[in-house]
Amino acid sequence: MRTKISRFFAGEGQAASPAAPSGVAPVAPDAAQVAAETPATSVKAPAPVAAVAARGSDPAQLQRLGDQHYYGRGVPQNYGEALACYRAAAEAGNVAAMANVGWMHHAGLGTERNETQAFEWYRRAADAGNAYALKNLALLHRDGLGTKQDFALAFACAKKAAELGDGGAMHLLGVLYRSEE
């Protein structure tokens, strides 16, 4: 006995498309034809990120929206928009977003490169236990970027991040051990 679902997928019990004879797959409409038949007012432009953030969006949602802008997933890649989303999420307490704001300042993506700001945002995320931020704090301490150079703190941050499972921190820890020899 065939179930309703299996009959549906087999094509039974479906009305044939008026544009296509029975048993023939309908052809997708031309994009220009759809655009001509679709009123311009039916599609709304997305709200600016700042407006969305101002409405008190969920920090996890803002983090994901930042990722979409950062990677260009479903929207044009835009580091400025990504940073705005990450900052709003970070200020609302999202730890991953704090680390991402640190990275954006560290790399100069969507903003001017600013190691001092990177250090502060990484520190906030590291204080909350973010391994990625701890590893990047170790790099900043090692190189004296955004803070005073301090190999002991670099080692401590790398060790803690490695204990939390960050592979990059494990490598950095090996490099730091090697540089002591």
PDB file of all heavy atoms in Angstrom, residues 32-74:
ATOM      1  N   ALA A  32      13.216  37.883 -16.189  1.00  0.00           N
ATOM      2  CA  ALA A  32      12.762  39.200 -16.635  1.00  0.00           C
ATOM      3  C   ALA A  32      11.243  39.280 -16.594  1.00  0.00           C
ATOM      4  O   ALA A  32      10.666  40.303 -16.237  1.00  0.00           O
ATOM      5  CB  ALA A  32      13.275  39.481 -18.039  1.00  0.00           C
ATOM      6  N   GLN A  33      10.565  38.170 -16.970  1.00  0.00           N
ATOM      7  CA  GLN A  33       9.109  38.126 -16.940  1.00  0.00           C
ATOM      8  C   GLN A  33       8.602  38.266 -15.502  1.00  0.00           C
ATOM      9  O   GLN A  33       7.675  39.016 -15.234  1.00  0.00           O
ATOM     10  CB  GLN A  33       8.620  36.809 -17.535  1.00  0.00           C
ATOM     11  CG  GLN A  33       7.125  36.622 -17.461  1.00  0.00           C
ATOM     12  CD  GLN A  33       6.704  35.235 -17.925  1.00  0.00           C
ATOM     13  OE1 GLN A  33       7.534  34.422 -18.316  1.00  0.00           O
ATOM     14  NE2 GLN A  33       5.420  34.974 -17.859  1.00  0.00           N
ATOM     15  N   VAL A  34       9.241  37.560 -14.563  1.00  0.00           N
ATOM     16  CA  VAL A  34       8.843  37.641 -13.159  1.00  0.00           C
ATOM     17  C   VAL A  34       9.042  39.058 -12.643  1.00  0.00           C
ATOM     18  O   VAL A  34       8.195  39.621 -11.962  1.00  0.00           O
ATOM     19  CB  VAL A  34       9.634  36.631 -12.299  1.00  0.00           C
ATOM     20  CG1 VAL A  34       9.387  36.858 -10.821  1.00  0.00           C
ATOM     21  CG2 VAL A  34       9.253  35.219 -12.687  1.00  0.00           C
ATOM     22  N   ALA A  35      10.180  39.662 -12.975  1.00  0.00           N
ATOM     23  CA  ALA A  35      10.471  41.025 -12.523  1.00  0.00           C
ATOM     24  C   ALA A  35       9.452  42.005 -13.075  1.00  0.00           C
ATOM     25  O   ALA A  35       9.007  42.922 -12.380  1.00  0.00           O
ATOM     26  CB  ALA A  35      11.876  41.431 -12.941  1.00  0.00           C
ATOM     27  N   ALA A  36       9.040  41.815 -14.352  1.00  0.00           N
ATOM     28  CA  ALA A  36       8.074  42.716 -14.964  1.00  0.00           C
ATOM     29  C   ALA A  36       6.698  42.567 -14.330  1.00  0.00           C
ATOM     30  O   ALA A  36       5.944  43.533 -14.223  1.00  0.00           O
ATOM     31  CB  ALA A  36       8.004  42.458 -16.463  1.00  0.00           C
ATOM     32  N   GLU A  37       6.342  41.352 -13.909  1.00  0.00           N
ATOM     33  CA  GLU A  37       5.027  41.093 -13.337  1.00  0.00           C
ATOM     34  C   GLU A  37       4.962  41.351 -11.834  1.00  0.00           C
ATOM     35  O   GLU A  37       3.887  41.375 -11.263  1.00  0.00           O
ATOM     36  CB  GLU A  37       4.624  39.642 -13.616  1.00  0.00           C
ATOM     37  CG  GLU A  37       4.429  39.343 -15.085  1.00  0.00           C
ATOM     38  CD  GLU A  37       4.214  37.868 -15.368  1.00  0.00           C
ATOM     39  OE1 GLU A  37       4.212  37.078 -14.403  1.00  0.00           O
ATOM     40  OE2 GLU A  37       4.055  37.517 -16.538  1.00  0.00           O
ATOM     41  N   THR A  38       6.107  41.527 -11.179  1.00  0.00           N
ATOM     42  CA  THR A  38       6.147  41.734  -9.742  1.00  0.00           C
ATOM     43  C   THR A  38       6.190  43.222  -9.438  1.00  0.00           C
ATOM     44  O   THR A  38       7.095  43.910  -9.894  1.00  0.00           O
ATOM     45  CB  THR A  38       7.396  41.067  -9.120  1.00  0.00           C
ATOM     46  OG1 THR A  38       7.400  39.698  -9.489  1.00  0.00           O
ATOM     47  CG2 THR A  38       7.401  41.196  -7.611  1.00  0.00           C
ATOM     48  N   PRO A  39       5.206  43.729  -8.686  1.00  0.00           N
ATOM     49  CA  PRO A  39       5.237  45.156  -8.360  1.00  0.00           C
ATOM     50  C   PRO A  39       6.471  45.492  -7.535  1.00  0.00           C
ATOM     51  O   PRO A  39       6.881  44.730  -6.669  1.00  0.00           O
ATOM     52  CB  PRO A  39       3.968  45.385  -7.539  1.00  0.00           C
ATOM     53  CG  PRO A  39       3.229  44.101  -7.514  1.00  0.00           C
ATOM     54  CD  PRO A  39       4.076  43.039  -8.134  1.00  0.00           C
ATOM     55  N   ALA A  40       7.046  46.656  -7.799  1.00  0.00           N
ATOM     56  CA  ALA A  40       8.266  47.080  -7.102  1.00  0.00           C
ATOM     57  C   ALA A  40       8.039  47.236  -5.609  1.00  0.00           C
ATOM     58  O   ALA A  40       8.955  47.091  -4.821  1.00  0.00           O
ATOM     59  CB  ALA A  40       8.776  48.389  -7.696  1.00  0.00           C
ATOM     60  N   THR A  41       6.820  47.509  -5.195  1.00  0.00           N
ATOM     61  CA  THR A  41       6.544  47.721  -3.775  1.00  0.00           C
ATOM     62  C   THR A  41       6.440  46.416  -3.008  1.00  0.00           C
ATOM     63  O   THR A  41       6.386  46.436  -1.792  1.00  0.00           O
ATOM     64  CB  THR A  41       5.230  48.503  -3.595  1.00  0.00           C
ATOM     65  OG1 THR A  41       4.177  47.759  -4.237  1.00  0.00           O
ATOM     66  CG2 THR A  41       5.340  49.891  -4.191  1.00  0.00           C
ATOM     67  N   SER A  42       6.438  45.268  -3.701  1.00  0.00           N
ATOM     68  CA  SER A  42       6.276  44.000  -2.986  1.00  0.00           C
ATOM     69  C   SER A  42       7.566  43.545  -2.310  1.00  0.00           C
ATOM     70  O   SER A  42       7.532  42.673  -1.463  1.00  0.00           O
ATOM     71  CB  SER A  42       5.769  42.915  -3.934  1.00  0.00           C
ATOM     72  OG  SER A  42       6.793  42.569  -4.842  1.00  0.00           O
ATOM     73  N   VAL A  43       8.706  44.107  -2.681  1.00  0.00           N
ATOM     74  CA  VAL A  43       9.979  43.718  -2.090  1.00  0.00           C
ATOM     75  C   VAL A  43      10.497  44.871  -1.252  1.00  0.00           C
ATOM     76  O   VAL A  43      10.676  45.972  -1.748  1.00  0.00           O
ATOM     77  CB  VAL A  43      11.009  43.358  -3.184  1.00  0.00           C
ATOM     78  CG1 VAL A  43      12.337  43.003  -2.564  1.00  0.00           C
ATOM     79  CG2 VAL A  43      10.490  42.226  -4.038  1.00  0.00           C
ATOM     80  N   LYS A  44      10.716  44.598   0.025  1.00  0.00           N
ATOM     81  CA  LYS A  44      11.230  45.629   0.916  1.00  0.00           C
ATOM     82  C   LYS A  44      12.739  45.519   1.008  1.00  0.00           C
ATOM     83  O   LYS A  44      13.269  44.427   1.087  1.00  0.00           O
ATOM     84  CB  LYS A  44      10.646  45.477   2.323  1.00  0.00           C
ATOM     85  CG  LYS A  44       9.196  45.822   2.428  1.00  0.00           C
ATOM     86  CD  LYS A  44       8.756  45.731   3.872  1.00  0.00           C
ATOM     87  CE  LYS A  44       7.303  46.099   4.017  1.00  0.00           C
ATOM     88  NZ  LYS A  44       6.870  46.010   5.402  1.00  0.00           N
ATOM     89  N   ALA A  45      13.392  46.655   1.031  1.00  0.00           N
ATOM     90  CA  ALA A  45      14.840  46.666   1.236  1.00  0.00           C
ATOM     91  C   ALA A  45      15.122  46.312   2.687  1.00  0.00           C
ATOM     92  O   ALA A  45      14.342  46.672   3.573  1.00  0.00           O
ATOM     93  CB  ALA A  45      15.401  48.045   0.910  1.00  0.00           C
ATOM     94  N   PRO A  46      16.210  45.594   2.956  1.00  0.00           N
ATOM     95  CA  PRO A  46      16.515  45.257   4.346  1.00  0.00           C
ATOM     96  C   PRO A  46      16.816  46.510   5.161  1.00  0.00           C
ATOM     97  O   PRO A  46      17.352  47.491   4.647  1.00  0.00           O
ATOM     98  CB  PRO A  46      17.757  44.373   4.237  1.00  0.00           C
ATOM     99  CG  PRO A  46      18.325  44.656   2.898  1.00  0.00           C
ATOM    100  CD  PRO A  46      17.205  45.108   2.023  1.00  0.00           C
ATOM    101  N   ALA A  47      16.441  46.457   6.420  1.00  0.00           N
ATOM    102  CA  ALA A  47      16.706  47.587   7.307  1.00  0.00           C
ATOM    103  C   ALA A  47      18.197  47.691   7.557  1.00  0.00           C
ATOM    104  O   ALA A  47      18.888  46.680   7.605  1.00  0.00           O
ATOM    105  CB  ALA A  47      15.971  47.379   8.629  1.00  0.00           C
ATOM    106  N   PRO A  48      18.726  48.909   7.695  1.00  0.00           N
ATOM    107  CA  PRO A  48      20.154  49.034   8.017  1.00  0.00           C
ATOM    108  C   PRO A  48      20.468  48.305   9.321  1.00  0.00           C
ATOM    109  O   PRO A  48      19.642  48.233  10.222  1.00  0.00           O
ATOM    110  CB  PRO A  48      20.357  50.535   8.175  1.00  0.00           C
ATOM    111  CG  PRO A  48      19.189  51.167   7.504  1.00  0.00           C
ATOM    112  CD  PRO A  48      18.067  50.178   7.574  1.00  0.00           C
ATOM    113  N   VAL A  49      21.664  47.768   9.389  1.00  0.00           N
ATOM    114  CA  VAL A  49      22.074  46.978  10.547  1.00  0.00           C
ATOM    115  C   VAL A  49      21.946  47.782  11.833  1.00  0.00           C
ATOM    116  O   VAL A  49      21.476  47.279  12.849  1.00  0.00           O
ATOM    117  CB  VAL A  49      23.520  46.470  10.365  1.00  0.00           C
ATOM    118  CG1 VAL A  49      24.030  45.838  11.638  1.00  0.00           C
ATOM    119  CG2 VAL A  49      23.573  45.488   9.228  1.00  0.00           C
ATOM    120  N   ALA A  50      22.320  49.054  11.805  1.00  0.00           N
ATOM    121  CA  ALA A  50      22.240  49.883  13.007  1.00  0.00           C
ATOM    122  C   ALA A  50      20.803  49.961  13.515  1.00  0.00           C
ATOM    123  O   ALA A  50      20.556  49.933  14.719  1.00  0.00           O
ATOM    124  CB  ALA A  50      22.783  51.275  12.725  1.00  0.00           C
ATOM    125  N   ALA A  51      19.832  50.039  12.586  1.00  0.00           N
ATOM    126  CA  ALA A  51      18.431  50.106  12.994  1.00  0.00           C
ATOM    127  C   ALA A  51      17.985  48.791  13.626  1.00  0.00           C
ATOM    128  O   ALA A  51      17.253  48.781  14.613  1.00  0.00           O
ATOM    129  CB  ALA A  51      17.548  50.443  11.794  1.00  0.00           C
ATOM    130  N   VAL A  52      18.439  47.681  13.057  1.00  0.00           N
ATOM    131  CA  VAL A  52      18.104  46.364  13.621  1.00  0.00           C
ATOM    132  C   VAL A  52      18.697  46.245  15.016  1.00  0.00           C
ATOM    133  O   VAL A  52      18.030  45.818  15.963  1.00  0.00           O
ATOM    134  CB  VAL A  52      18.615  45.229  12.707  1.00  0.00           C
ATOM    135  CG1 VAL A  52      18.440  43.879  13.371  1.00  0.00           C
ATOM    136  CG2 VAL A  52      17.899  45.259  11.374  1.00  0.00           C
ATOM    137  N   ALA A  53      19.948  46.635  15.163  1.00  0.00           N
ATOM    138  CA  ALA A  53      20.617  46.546  16.464  1.00  0.00           C
ATOM    139  C   ALA A  53      19.952  47.436  17.489  1.00  0.00           C
ATOM    140  O   ALA A  53      19.839  47.073  18.661  1.00  0.00           O
ATOM    141  CB  ALA A  53      22.090  46.923  16.323  1.00  0.00           C
ATOM    142  N   ALA A  54      19.476  48.584  17.049  1.00  0.00           N
ATOM    143  CA  ALA A  54      18.837  49.520  17.974  1.00  0.00           C
ATOM    144  C   ALA A  54      17.521  48.969  18.517  1.00  0.00           C
ATOM    145  O   ALA A  54      17.073  49.368  19.580  1.00  0.00           O
ATOM    146  CB  ALA A  54      18.601  50.859  17.285  1.00  0.00           C
ATOM    147  N   ARG A  55      16.909  48.063  17.791  1.00  0.00           N
ATOM    148  CA  ARG A  55      15.638  47.481  18.260  1.00  0.00           C
ATOM    149  C   ARG A  55      15.853  46.398  19.301  1.00  0.00           C
ATOM    150  O   ARG A  55      14.909  45.741  19.709  1.00  0.00           O
ATOM    151  CB  ARG A  55      14.865  46.924  17.073  1.00  0.00           C
ATOM    152  CG  ARG A  55      14.284  47.999  16.179  1.00  0.00           C
ATOM    153  CD  ARG A  55      13.224  47.433  15.262  1.00  0.00           C
ATOM    154  NE  ARG A  55      13.728  46.427  14.364  1.00  0.00           N
ATOM    155  CZ  ARG A  55      14.021  46.633  13.086  1.00  0.00           C
ATOM    156  NH1 ARG A  55      13.913  47.823  12.567  1.00  0.00           N
ATOM    157  NH2 ARG A  55      14.453  45.644  12.327  1.00  0.00           N
ATOM    158  N   GLY A  56      17.081  46.168  19.710  1.00  0.00           N
ATOM    159  CA  GLY A  56      17.340  45.205  20.776  1.00  0.00           C
ATOM    160  C   GLY A  56      17.255  43.767  20.313  1.00  0.00           C
ATOM    161  O   GLY A  56      16.711  42.924  21.002  1.00  0.00           O
ATOM    162  N   SER A  57      17.787  43.480  19.142  1.00  0.00           N
ATOM    163  CA  SER A  57      17.772  42.115  18.616  1.00  0.00           C
ATOM    164  C   SER A  57      18.541  41.171  19.532  1.00  0.00           C
ATOM    165  O   SER A  57      19.405  41.580  20.292  1.00  0.00           O
ATOM    166  CB  SER A  57      18.382  42.076  17.220  1.00  0.00           C
ATOM    167  OG  SER A  57      17.605  42.812  16.325  1.00  0.00           O
ATOM    168  N   ASP A  58      18.231  39.911  19.412  1.00  0.00           N
ATOM    169  CA  ASP A  58      18.903  38.855  20.165  1.00  0.00           C
ATOM    170  C   ASP A  58      20.392  38.858  19.808  1.00  0.00           C
ATOM    171  O   ASP A  58      20.749  38.861  18.622  1.00  0.00           O
ATOM    172  CB  ASP A  58      18.246  37.530  19.791  1.00  0.00           C
ATOM    173  CG  ASP A  58      18.951  36.334  20.381  1.00  0.00           C
ATOM    174  OD1 ASP A  58      19.334  36.403  21.567  1.00  0.00           O
ATOM    175  OD2 ASP A  58      19.097  35.325  19.665  1.00  0.00           O
ATOM    176  N   PRO A  59      21.286  38.866  20.806  1.00  0.00           N
ATOM    177  CA  PRO A  59      22.732  38.889  20.519  1.00  0.00           C
ATOM    178  C   PRO A  59      23.199  37.739  19.630  1.00  0.00           C
ATOM    179  O   PRO A  59      24.058  37.939  18.767  1.00  0.00           O
ATOM    180  CB  PRO A  59      23.369  38.813  21.904  1.00  0.00           C
ATOM    181  CG  PRO A  59      22.349  39.341  22.832  1.00  0.00           C
ATOM    182  CD  PRO A  59      21.021  38.963  22.240  1.00  0.00           C
ATOM    183  N   ALA A  60      22.635  36.554  19.798  1.00  0.00           N
ATOM    184  CA  ALA A  60      23.036  35.419  18.956  1.00  0.00           C
ATOM    185  C   ALA A  60      22.620  35.663  17.504  1.00  0.00           C
ATOM    186  O   ALA A  60      23.358  35.320  16.572  1.00  0.00           O
ATOM    187  CB  ALA A  60      22.428  34.123  19.479  1.00  0.00           C
ATOM    188  N   GLN A  61      21.446  36.278  17.318  1.00  0.00           N
ATOM    189  CA  GLN A  61      20.988  36.612  15.961  1.00  0.00           C
ATOM    190  C   GLN A  61      21.924  37.633  15.333  1.00  0.00           C
ATOM    191  O   GLN A  61      22.262  37.535  14.159  1.00  0.00           O
ATOM    192  CB  GLN A  61      19.569  37.193  16.003  1.00  0.00           C
ATOM    193  CG  GLN A  61      18.501  36.237  16.383  1.00  0.00           C
ATOM    194  CD  GLN A  61      17.984  35.466  15.201  1.00  0.00           C
ATOM    195  OE1 GLN A  61      18.158  34.329  15.165  1.00  0.00           O
ATOM    196  NE2 GLN A  61      17.328  35.998  14.243  1.00  0.00           N
ATOM    197  N   LEU A  62      22.310  38.632  16.110  1.00  0.00           N
ATOM    198  CA  LEU A  62      23.220  39.652  15.599  1.00  0.00           C
ATOM    199  C   LEU A  62      24.573  39.051  15.246  1.00  0.00           C
ATOM    200  O   LEU A  62      25.185  39.429  14.247  1.00  0.00           O
ATOM    201  CB  LEU A  62      23.391  40.774  16.624  1.00  0.00           C
ATOM    202  CG  LEU A  62      22.207  41.721  16.753  1.00  0.00           C
ATOM    203  CD1 LEU A  62      22.357  42.591  17.994  1.00  0.00           C
ATOM    204  CD2 LEU A  62      22.076  42.580  15.509  1.00  0.00           C
ATOM    205  N   GLN A  63      25.036  38.111  16.049  1.00  0.00           N
ATOM    206  CA  GLN A  63      26.295  37.417  15.763  1.00  0.00           C
ATOM    207  C   GLN A  63      26.193  36.697  14.419  1.00  0.00           C
ATOM    208  O   GLN A  63      27.086  36.791  13.574  1.00  0.00           O
ATOM    209  CB  GLN A  63      26.629  36.439  16.898  1.00  0.00           C
ATOM    210  CG  GLN A  63      27.674  35.393  16.587  1.00  0.00           C
ATOM    211  CD  GLN A  63      29.077  35.924  16.413  1.00  0.00           C
ATOM    212  OE1 GLN A  63      29.403  36.998  16.892  1.00  0.00           O
ATOM    213  NE2 GLN A  63      29.899  35.177  15.721  1.00  0.00           N
ATOM    214  N   ARG A  64      25.078  35.980  14.203  1.00  0.00           N
ATOM    215  CA  ARG A  64      24.890  35.260  12.938  1.00  0.00           C
ATOM    216  C   ARG A  64      24.770  36.221  11.761  1.00  0.00           C
ATOM    217  O   ARG A  64      25.305  35.975  10.685  1.00  0.00           O
ATOM    218  CB  ARG A  64      23.669  34.346  13.030  1.00  0.00           C
ATOM    219  CG  ARG A  64      23.923  33.111  13.877  1.00  0.00           C
ATOM    220  CD  ARG A  64      22.803  32.098  13.783  1.00  0.00           C
ATOM    221  NE  ARG A  64      21.575  32.525  14.401  1.00  0.00           N
ATOM    222  CZ  ARG A  64      21.308  32.439  15.708  1.00  0.00           C
ATOM    223  NH1 ARG A  64      22.207  31.920  16.525  1.00  0.00           N
ATOM    224  NH2 ARG A  64      20.159  32.845  16.199  1.00  0.00           N
ATOM    225  N   LEU A  65      24.075  37.347  11.967  1.00  0.00           N
ATOM    226  CA  LEU A  65      23.957  38.351  10.916  1.00  0.00           C
ATOM    227  C   LEU A  65      25.336  38.928  10.589  1.00  0.00           C
ATOM    228  O   LEU A  65      25.670  39.144   9.420  1.00  0.00           O
ATOM    229  CB  LEU A  65      22.993  39.460  11.348  1.00  0.00           C
ATOM    230  CG  LEU A  65      22.702  40.558  10.326  1.00  0.00           C
ATOM    231  CD1 LEU A  65      22.115  39.974   9.046  1.00  0.00           C
ATOM    232  CD2 LEU A  65      21.751  41.593  10.928  1.00  0.00           C
ATOM    233  N   GLY A  66      26.155  39.142  11.623  1.00  0.00           N
ATOM    234  CA  GLY A  66      27.523  39.591  11.395  1.00  0.00           C
ATOM    235  C   GLY A  66      28.297  38.587  10.558  1.00  0.00           C
ATOM    236  O   GLY A  66      29.039  38.970   9.638  1.00  0.00           O
ATOM    237  N   ASP A  67      28.126  37.298  10.851  1.00  0.00           N
ATOM    238  CA  ASP A  67      28.796  36.257  10.066  1.00  0.00           C
ATOM    239  C   ASP A  67      28.353  36.300   8.603  1.00  0.00           C
ATOM    240  O   ASP A  67      29.167  36.133   7.693  1.00  0.00           O
ATOM    241  CB  ASP A  67      28.505  34.869  10.640  1.00  0.00           C
ATOM    242  CG  ASP A  67      29.255  34.578  11.927  1.00  0.00           C
ATOM    243  OD1 ASP A  67      30.220  35.311  12.253  1.00  0.00           O
ATOM    244  OD2 ASP A  67      28.875  33.606  12.610  1.00  0.00           O
ATOM    245  N   GLN A  68      27.047  36.525   8.377  1.00  0.00           N
ATOM    246  CA  GLN A  68      26.556  36.603   7.007  1.00  0.00           C
ATOM    247  C   GLN A  68      27.243  37.745   6.256  1.00  0.00           C
ATOM    248  O   GLN A  68      27.654  37.574   5.113  1.00  0.00           O
ATOM    249  CB  GLN A  68      25.040  36.811   6.988  1.00  0.00           C
ATOM    250  CG  GLN A  68      24.267  35.559   7.344  1.00  0.00           C
ATOM    251  CD  GLN A  68      22.791  35.796   7.284  1.00  0.00           C
ATOM    252  OE1 GLN A  68      22.197  36.290   8.242  1.00  0.00           O
ATOM    253  NE2 GLN A  68      22.191  35.460   6.168  1.00  0.00           N
ATOM    254  N   HIS A  69      27.355  38.896   6.895  1.00  0.00           N
ATOM    255  CA  HIS A  69      28.014  40.031   6.242  1.00  0.00           C
ATOM    256  C   HIS A  69      29.516  39.786   6.099  1.00  0.00           C
ATOM    257  O   HIS A  69      30.114  40.160   5.088  1.00  0.00           O
ATOM    258  CB  HIS A  69      27.766  41.324   7.021  1.00  0.00           C
ATOM    259  CG  HIS A  69      26.392  41.871   6.811  1.00  0.00           C
ATOM    260  ND1 HIS A  69      25.998  42.469   5.641  1.00  0.00           N
ATOM    261  CD2 HIS A  69      25.311  41.899   7.619  1.00  0.00           C
ATOM    262  CE1 HIS A  69      24.739  42.848   5.738  1.00  0.00           C
ATOM    263  NE2 HIS A  69      24.297  42.509   6.933  1.00  0.00           N
ATOM    264  N   TYR A  70      30.134  39.171   7.093  1.00  0.00           N
ATOM    265  CA  TYR A  70      31.577  38.913   7.044  1.00  0.00           C
ATOM    266  C   TYR A  70      31.928  37.990   5.877  1.00  0.00           C
ATOM    267  O   TYR A  70      32.859  38.231   5.129  1.00  0.00           O
ATOM    268  CB  TYR A  70      32.052  38.304   8.371  1.00  0.00           C
ATOM    269  CG  TYR A  70      33.551  38.116   8.452  1.00  0.00           C
ATOM    270  CD1 TYR A  70      34.365  39.146   8.922  1.00  0.00           C
ATOM    271  CD2 TYR A  70      34.149  36.935   8.061  1.00  0.00           C
ATOM    272  CE1 TYR A  70      35.742  38.986   8.996  1.00  0.00           C
ATOM    273  CE2 TYR A  70      35.526  36.771   8.128  1.00  0.00           C
ATOM    274  CZ  TYR A  70      36.317  37.799   8.598  1.00  0.00           C
ATOM    275  OH  TYR A  70      37.674  37.643   8.662  1.00  0.00           O
ATOM    276  N   TYR A  71      31.165  36.901   5.735  1.00  0.00           N
ATOM    277  CA  TYR A  71      31.461  35.896   4.714  1.00  0.00           C
ATOM    278  C   TYR A  71      30.713  36.119   3.401  1.00  0.00           C
ATOM    279  O   TYR A  71      30.967  35.427   2.420  1.00  0.00           O
ATOM    280  CB  TYR A  71      31.149  34.491   5.239  1.00  0.00           C
ATOM    281  CG  TYR A  71      32.038  34.084   6.382  1.00  0.00           C
ATOM    282  CD1 TYR A  71      31.554  34.035   7.683  1.00  0.00           C
ATOM    283  CD2 TYR A  71      33.371  33.765   6.165  1.00  0.00           C
ATOM    284  CE1 TYR A  71      32.382  33.673   8.735  1.00  0.00           C
ATOM    285  CE2 TYR A  71      34.208  33.402   7.211  1.00  0.00           C
ATOM    286  CZ  TYR A  71      33.699  33.357   8.491  1.00  0.00           C
ATOM    287  OH  TYR A  71      34.515  32.995   9.537  1.00  0.00           O
ATOM    288  N   GLY A  72      29.755  37.053   3.390  1.00  0.00           N
ATOM    289  CA  GLY A  72      28.967  37.286   2.183  1.00  0.00           C
ATOM    290  C   GLY A  72      27.986  36.170   1.909  1.00  0.00           C
ATOM    291  O   GLY A  72      27.767  35.776   0.775  1.00  0.00           O
ATOM    292  N   ARG A  73      27.367  35.654   2.951  1.00  0.00           N
ATOM    293  CA  ARG A  73      26.388  34.560   2.809  1.00  0.00           C
ATOM    294  C   ARG A  73      24.980  35.139   2.721  1.00  0.00           C
ATOM    295  O   ARG A  73      24.416  35.583   3.721  1.00  0.00           O
ATOM    296  CB  ARG A  73      26.458  33.617   3.999  1.00  0.00           C
ATOM    297  CG  ARG A  73      27.732  32.844   4.068  1.00  0.00           C
ATOM    298  CD  ARG A  73      27.698  31.857   5.213  1.00  0.00           C
ATOM    299  NE  ARG A  73      28.983  31.229   5.378  1.00  0.00           N
ATOM    300  CZ  ARG A  73      29.528  30.965   6.544  1.00  0.00           C
ATOM    301  NH1 ARG A  73      28.899  31.265   7.666  1.00  0.00           N
ATOM    302  NH2 ARG A  73      30.713  30.388   6.619  1.00  0.00           N
ATOM    303  N   GLY A  74      24.408  35.172   1.526  1.00  0.00           N
ATOM    304  CA  GLY A  74      23.053  35.679   1.339  1.00  0.00           C
ATOM    305  C   GLY A  74      22.983  37.193   1.235  1.00  0.00           C
ATOM    306  O   GLY A  74      21.930  37.740   0.922  1.00  0.00           O
TER     307      GLY A  74
END
